[in-house]
Amino acid sequence: MAKKRPQTKAKRPQLTEQEIPVVGAREPCPCGSGRRYKACHGRAAAHAVTELVHRPFEGLPGECDWVALRELVPAATVELPLKGGLPEGAPSVTLATVLPMAWPALRRDDGSVLLGLQNDTASGDISRDLADTLQRALAADPGTPVQGRRAPADGPRLQDLIDPEGAFEPVVHSGFEFWVPDPENATPEVTASLERANAAAIPTVKLTGVDAAYWCETPEKNHLRWVMPHPEEQLLDALARLHAAGRSSLGEGTRLVGSFRAHGLIVPVWDLPSGVGAEDVEKPAAEFAERLAAALASDAPLTADERRARGGLTNRQVTLS
């Protein structure tokens, strides 16, 4: 009888978390565990991609305006300054609320880049998805739209690409003509998309006296939507104090009706009479900002009336994202 060889187990390569490559979900995990990738290291990778980031624009210049342009404003653009300056061949990078045919991004014929903000994103981190789209747009051939995809879990975020010292100054447009620098040569698809978008756009104006407040016009009444940076609980307490005291309006016929919750920030909403335009609420909004600052500074317990006012505001809160 042949003598059996002593069996020895080969040592598996020891890989660190940073060295685990991404393979197919059903393939053996490269870590050597013998399990499929999706049941081993792929589970953590998927979780990293899909985990929801509640304040994706935190740390960017103009966080409140990022939220407004993502959720509330139909047509607006912002020039984006990049860390280290613009790459060669890209004369500008412009954030746009919406692009034709809902493209995530577009590299124009002159090399400039348009980045769409209101597109669906594949992961739970809008900032990472937009950064991935921006990088691919800067590398795309001129005249090329960029399609969406799931960003790598270890890819950069907007906070890594945008100059934190740069200005964030939205320009609100009455329509989407900024899509087409040369309307006569636009394709029929782009022209049709432009007509549909213009027909659906709600007239919107950004106030100049306070930050991130946007007036909009609807058939029955107008509204003011104001994205605020304060912590939610503190802001709701302050609004309740003002509401209970009868000091939460923006003038005769106006009313604080509730708020949105969007990307980790609160957006109080006022109903305005249809005859009240954006210029009419500039001064009342600035005065309200002063009253709100005083209410935010108070740490006194809420009174019974203030608690009821807070409950009413909370019940009329709608989560957008």
Side-chain angles (χ1 to χ4, degrees):
M1 181 180 292
K3 188 175 181 180
K4 291 184 178 180
R5 293 181 180 177
Q7 294 184 353
T8 59
K9 293 184 178 180
K11 292 185 178 180
R12 293 174 177 169
Q14 299 298 310
L15 302 180
T16 66
E17 293 289 338
Q18 290 75 20
E19 295 173 333
I20 303 295
V22 175
V23 299
R26 296 181 178 277
E27 294 181 55
C29 187
C31 76
S33 67
R35 304 171 69 191
R36 291 180 177 180
Y37 177 70
K38 70 175 184 178
C40 191
H41 282 85
R43 180 179 299 172
H47 179 72
V49 172
T50 59
E51 185 176 6
L52 179 64
V53 176
H54 292 280
R55 286 184 64 177
F57 307 118
E58 185 177 14
L60 289 172
E63 178 189 7
C64 293
D65 284 308
W66 277 91
V67 172
L69 268 56
R70 168 76 182 183
E71 299 294 340
L72 306 173
V73 181
T77 55
V78 188
E79 296 297 314
L80 295 181
L82 303 185
K83 289 182 178 179
L86 297 169
E88 184 178 357
S92 64
V93 172
T94 303
L95 181 73
T97 48
V98 181
L99 294 181
M101 272 91 78
W103 288 327
L106 171 66
R107 185 82 185 269
R108 281 180 161 162
D109 292 336
D110 66 354
S112 60
V113 168
L114 287 175
L115 177 66
L117 180 58
Q118 293 183 9
N119 295 81
D120 292 335
T121 56
S123 79
D125 187 354
I126 297 171
S127 179
R128 196 178 307 279
D129 287 332
L130 288 171
D132 178 68
T133 301
L134 174 56
Q135 285 191 316
R136 290 187 293 121
L138 289 168
D141 293 331
T144 305
V146 176
Q147 302 302 324
R149 73 171 188 182
R150 172 169 286 185
D154 59 350
R157 307 178 74 236
L158 288 173
Q159 289 82 348
D160 302 315
L161 304 181
I162 293 177
D163 183 356
E165 303 300 324
F168 190 83
E169 300 176 349
V171 177
V172 178
H173 304 275
S174 59
F176 295 88
E177 281 72 21
F178 64 86
W179 284 355
V180 189
D182 186 7
E184 294 183 357
N185 293 323
T187 65
E189 293 83 0
V190 170
T191 300
S193 182
L194 176 61
E195 292 175 352
R196 288 192 301 270
N198 281 343
I202 295 174
T204 302
V205 177
K206 186 180 189 299
L207 299 195
T208 60
V210 294
D211 292 334
Y214 291 81
W215 170 95
C216 66
E217 180 183 19
T218 61
E220 295 183 0
K221 62 183 69 174
N222 299 339
H223 304 279
L224 184 72
R225 300 162 176 173
W226 191 342
V227 187
M228 297 186 172
H230 317 292
E232 179 174 349
E233 298 302 316
Q234 182 187 10
L235 177 57
L236 289 175
D237 281 353
L239 292 173
R241 296 181 197 279
L242 296 176
H243 203 59
R247 306 182 68 209
S248 64
S249 75
L250 299 175
E252 185 177 355
T254 70
R255 187 166 66 98
L256 175 64
V257 293
S259 62
F260 297 127
R261 181 192 287 114
H263 305 294
L265 299 181
I266 299 300
V267 189
V269 178
W270 285 263
D271 279 352
L272 312 172
S274 57
V276 174
E279 66 282 356
D280 299 319
V281 293
E282 286 279 8
K283 183 178 179 181
E287 293 171 345
F288 178 84
E290 295 179 358
R291 299 196 299 273
L292 180 64
L296 287 166
S298 175
D299 58 0
L302 296 181
T303 66
D305 287 344
E306 290 168 349
R307 288 197 299 272
R308 282 191 291 270
R310 193 186 195 283
L313 290 173
T314 303
N315 290 337
R316 296 192 300 273
Q317 189 175 74
V318 177
T319 299
L320 299 180
S321 59

